[in-house]
Amino acid sequence: MVLKVEIISGETIKPSSPTPLHLKSYRLSWIDQGNMPHPPISLLLFYSGANADPVEQRGSLKKSLSETLTRFYPLAGKIKDNLTIQCDDYGAYYLETRVNCQLSQVLTNPEANTLKKFLPSYDLHFRSGSSGSTTNNELDLKDLIQLVIQVNVFDCGGMAIGISMCHKIGDLASMTTFLDSWARTSCRGTNSTADDQEMVTPYFYSASLFPPKKTLASCPFKKLSVRNKHVTRRFVFDASRIAALKARATNPLYVNNPTRVETVTALIWKCASRVGIKKSSESATRQSVAFVPVNLRGRRIPPMPEHLIGNLVQLAVASKSTTAGASAKQEDLSYLVQLVRDGISKIDNDRVKEIQGYSDGGFGEFFREVYGRYRKGEVDLNTVISWCRFPFYEADFGWGKPHWVCCVQMEGKNVHILMDTKDGNGVEAWVTFGNQYEMDDFSSLIDCEFEISAETQRNSAT
């Protein structure tokens, strides 16, 4: 049977109460200003349909979304320029679909190309205008809808909620704060025992900490060019595999206590760089760079609030030289963990102060140099993003916690995302390469690391 996702309705959900006049203009921080508005941040949450009325569920989702947008008023607004969001209560776009299969059929063998059908398409972020096009292939920020929700209902009554948020207004932590608040609001409306739940309070003053630059007010952005040639695949490392990896990554010369995220990050970087070396001659020495985004909120002294909205992220850098006949040190997992840890440790309170003073610490120049060499095929560049320890599995809208949560990042070549397994002890790695040949090479290298591919348990979400 061919999977069919049929759109049955679509509408704009506005805030339940108008935004006060003194909050009508929301300033972007200078980090927001430099951040690309696309691709959006996307997340999928799957719920079983047990003991739930689908009509009541969807009604609760829309009502609570409207109420939540009142508290997250910038998400319901429009970008005026690269300096300000006009909080005009335009709203979020919300659509519902019908899926002609059982939820279990999707979760038994989840594939990226199937899962992305349950997420809002990128074009839906431009329903307010002319699909975001201007002259010279530039993106018109004024046409951009900040938030799009897609609710997919399966034949069994199960549900998949797809969330797509514009990256201009905030990072993953910002979207998680919104999701938490939306779920709690819905739960209160459907479950009387949830009335004592403490509501999440978002904070909207990141521009006070990182003041915007007027010189960036009209900064142009190019339209997103979607390349369907990219290949995404999920690799699952359960608790036993994590324990084995951490044992291998423990070396008194480098690191004695590697975390599961550090270890999987190092493993992916190691295997991805080996894929890259195949592009060069046997004797060539290549630079291999890993970017690791770091949440700035906990890096400042005192820390910023957990629920501060904005793009409060800085890229940490790990770099090494590699060859086809790399030394034992270059391939030692513990050594790679040390490089990753050292890069992250540089994002500290002093670094946050530099960013507040409009300094990128030379990172911008380094990035332009590395990215230029990467485009020429001279450098291997991979980005490993950790979404671990975010409370996605706590998102209860009133009919129970998610059966499974995933991301399907389809637009970024050599961008890899790590997520918790449901039990919180393992890691699911969503790995993306430019073509199937690179993915096959990477998969073979992972297989070699674990001796047999079955031990990674890649293909079951149930």
Side-chain angles (χ1 to χ4, degrees):
M1 181 180 67
V2 177
L3 177 71
K4 184 178 180 181
V5 181
E6 178 188 2
I7 297 176
I8 57 177
S9 67
E11 60 183 299
T12 299
I13 303 293
K14 295 183 178 294
S16 58
S17 300
T19 300
L21 286 176
H22 70 284
L23 298 177
K24 285 288 187 180
S25 181
Y26 172 76
R27 290 196 308 160
L28 298 171
S29 74
W30 88 266
I31 307 177
D32 297 330
Q33 287 181 294
N35 209 62
M36 294 289 290
H38 55 64
I41 308 172
S42 299
L43 189 71
L44 264 177
L45 304 98
F46 292 86
Y47 295 86
S48 66
N51 304 318
D53 180 344
V55 175
E56 182 179 317
Q57 283 179 316
R58 298 196 293 274
S60 175
L61 285 174
K62 289 194 286 187
K63 182 175 182 295
S64 58
L65 175 59
S66 177
E67 294 170 359
T68 305
L69 287 174
T70 298
R71 295 190 295 276
F72 290 77
Y73 53 93
L75 276 177
K78 292 291 199 59
I79 298 177
K80 180 180 179 182
D81 49 33
N82 200 35
L83 186 66
T84 308
I85 291 180
Q86 183 179 350
C87 304
D88 59 359
D89 298 327
Y90 177 86
Y93 192 67
Y94 174 97
L95 66 155
E96 296 178 356
T97 77
R98 183 182 293 113
V99 186
N100 67 333
C101 73
Q102 305 290 310
L103 176 60
S104 59
Q105 293 175 262
V106 172
L107 298 186
T108 298
N109 185 28
E111 296 182 351
N113 287 334
T114 298
L115 295 172
K116 74 173 184 176
K117 295 179 181 179
F118 307 130
L119 286 169
S121 71
Y122 178 65
D123 289 343
L124 290 176
H125 280 277
F126 297 102
R127 289 191 64 87
S128 64
S130 56
S131 75
S133 60
T134 62
T135 59
N136 300 322
N137 202 36
E138 289 181 4
L139 180 69
D140 190 347
L141 296 178
K142 298 184 183 68
D143 286 339
L144 203 60
I145 296 175
Q146 306 299 312
L147 182 68
V148 183
I149 307 292
Q150 180 171 323
V151 177
N152 310 272
V153 181
F154 293 82
D155 285 343
C156 60
M159 178 183 293
I161 300 177
I163 304 175
S164 181
M165 188 187 85
C166 174
H167 219 321
K168 173 58 67 174
I169 194 171
D171 53 15
L172 178 69
S174 302
M175 189 175 79
T176 304
T177 296
F178 165 79
L179 171 63
D180 190 359
S181 181
W182 181 23
R184 290 178 188 229
T185 302
S186 176
C187 197
R188 276 189 171 186
T190 59
N191 188 345
S192 59
T193 62
D195 289 344
D196 59 348
Q197 275 194 347
E198 183 180 353
M199 294 303 295
V200 174
T201 301
Y203 299 95
F204 296 99
Y205 61 82
S206 60
S208 298
L209 299 176
F210 305 93
K213 297 179 179 179
K214 292 184 179 180
T215 55
L216 297 178
S218 59
C219 181
F221 292 96
K222 297 295 183 182
K223 291 190 293 181
L224 176 66
S225 177
V226 178
R227 296 178 175 87
N228 294 323
K229 294 180 181 180
H230 293 167
V231 179
T232 299
R233 183 174 176 181
R234 184 177 68 113
F235 294 79
V236 180
F237 306 96
D238 64 10
S240 63
R241 291 294 87 200
I242 293 292
L245 275 175
K246 289 173 69 175
R248 291 173 52 197
T250 300
N251 185 328
L253 292 174
Y254 308 118
V255 174
N256 279 317
N257 56 342
T259 68
R260 63 188 173 103
V261 172
E262 288 174 335
T263 305
V264 175
T265 298
L267 178 69
I268 290 175
W269 181 26
K270 175 182 178 179
C271 293
S273 66
R274 300 304 296 172
V275 171
I277 200 66
K278 288 190 174 184
K279 302 174 184 177
S280 63
S281 65
E282 289 293 312
S283 60
T285 298
R286 292 168 64 84
Q287 184 181 11
S288 179
V289 176
F291 288 148
V292 180
V294 177
N295 187 343
L296 295 177
R297 292 168 180 82
R299 296 279 162 170
R300 194 188 72 159
I301 301 175
M304 292 174 259
E306 176 186 1
H307 301 304
L308 180 62
I309 304 302
N311 285 289
L312 301 168
V313 172
Q314 177 77 2
L315 290 179
V317 179
S319 178
K320 69 184 183 76
S321 297
T322 187
T323 63
S327 67
K329 177 180 178 179
Q330 289 174 329
E331 295 298 295
D332 187 287
L333 203 58
S334 185
Y335 173 65
L336 299 182
V337 168
Q338 182 192 55
L339 293 178
V340 171
R341 182 177 290 187
D342 288 347
I344 292 174
S345 69
K346 294 176 182 177
I347 312 296
D348 55 13
N349 183 56
D350 290 338
R351 185 73 193 92
V352 174
K353 289 181 179 179
E354 288 180 349
I355 298 171
Q356 288 182 294
Y358 300 119
S359 170
D360 65 5
F363 176 79
E365 182 178 350
F366 171 81
F367 178 84
R368 287 187 291 272
E369 186 266 334
V370 167
Y371 190 70
R373 292 177 59 201
Y374 164 70
R375 296 191 67 178
K376 295 177 182 178
E378 299 173 356
V379 173
D380 296 320
L381 178 60
N382 287 272
T383 301
V384 185
I385 308 170
S386 174
W387 288 16
C388 295
R389 301 186 71 180
F390 284 98
F392 304 129
Y393 282 99
E394 298 300 314
D396 182 356
F397 287 87
W399 46 85
K401 295 179 181 180
H403 181 73
W404 187 47
V405 181
C406 71
C407 67
V408 189
Q409 191 280 128
M410 300 297 290
E411 314 302 344
K413 177 183 176 182
N414 293 9
V415 177
H416 320 298
I417 297 179
L418 310 183
M419 299 189 71
D420 292 321
T421 52
K422 188 176 182 180
D423 63 11
N425 297 318
V427 173
E428 296 186 2
W430 292 87
V431 177
T432 302
F433 286 104
N435 55 63
Q436 189 62 51
Y437 298 107
E438 293 176 345
M439 182 63 74
D440 290 343
D441 285 344
F442 178 86
S443 181
S444 296
L445 290 164
I446 290 290
D447 291 347
C448 290
E449 292 287 330
F450 288 105
E451 298 180 352
I452 56 173
S453 60
E455 292 183 339
T456 62
Q457 299 181 351
R458 290 192 293 264
N459 296 316
S460 177
T462 57

